[in-house]
Amino acid sequence: EDEVDLDSQNMDQENENPHWWHDLLWLAFCFGGIMISFVAYGILLEYATSGDKRLAEVPFLFVTSVLGTITAYIGRTARNEAIADIPS
């Protein structure tokens, strides 16, 4: 009887999230994207502020903010996530 209960518990746990690998794949994809973004941002910032090159901070921040917003929108759309209703 104990073996049957353990088997049914294991099956219940597997049925809770049958596509756990899909979530794990998204986690790996997002982690990689964040790491690549940080490295690219650091390289771009180093390039923009070193030597004779000068890039004004306000346009640089504006451009990177717009890119972040576009990326977030694409990610939300790809995941079919509802718009958050966080009070402002």
Side-chain angles (χ1 to χ4, degrees):
E1 185 176 323
D2 290 334
E3 290 180 25
V4 172
D5 289 338
L6 291 176
D7 288 338
S8 65
Q9 287 176 352
N10 288 339
M11 289 184 73
D12 288 342
Q13 289 175 353
E14 290 174 3
N15 289 336
E16 286 179 12
N17 190 0
H19 301 292
W20 60 270
W21 56 269
H22 186 261
D23 293 338
L24 187 63
L25 182 63
W26 266 110
L27 177 64
F29 176 76
C30 291
F31 176 79
I34 290 169
M35 290 299 110
I36 290 170
S37 296
F38 281 148
V39 170
Y41 184 80
I43 291 171
L44 181 61
L45 188 60
E46 184 66 29
Y47 175 78
T49 58
S50 65
D52 294 336
K53 299 169 205 70
R54 290 192 162 205
L55 181 65
E57 287 183 40
V58 174
F60 183 76
L61 289 175
F62 179 74
V63 169
T64 56
S65 296
V66 168
L67 289 175
T69 303
I70 291 169
T71 303
Y73 177 78
I74 291 170
R76 183 178 60 88
T77 304
R79 298 277 295 170
N80 273 344
E81 293 180 358
I83 297 175
D85 56 351
I86 299 171
S88 53

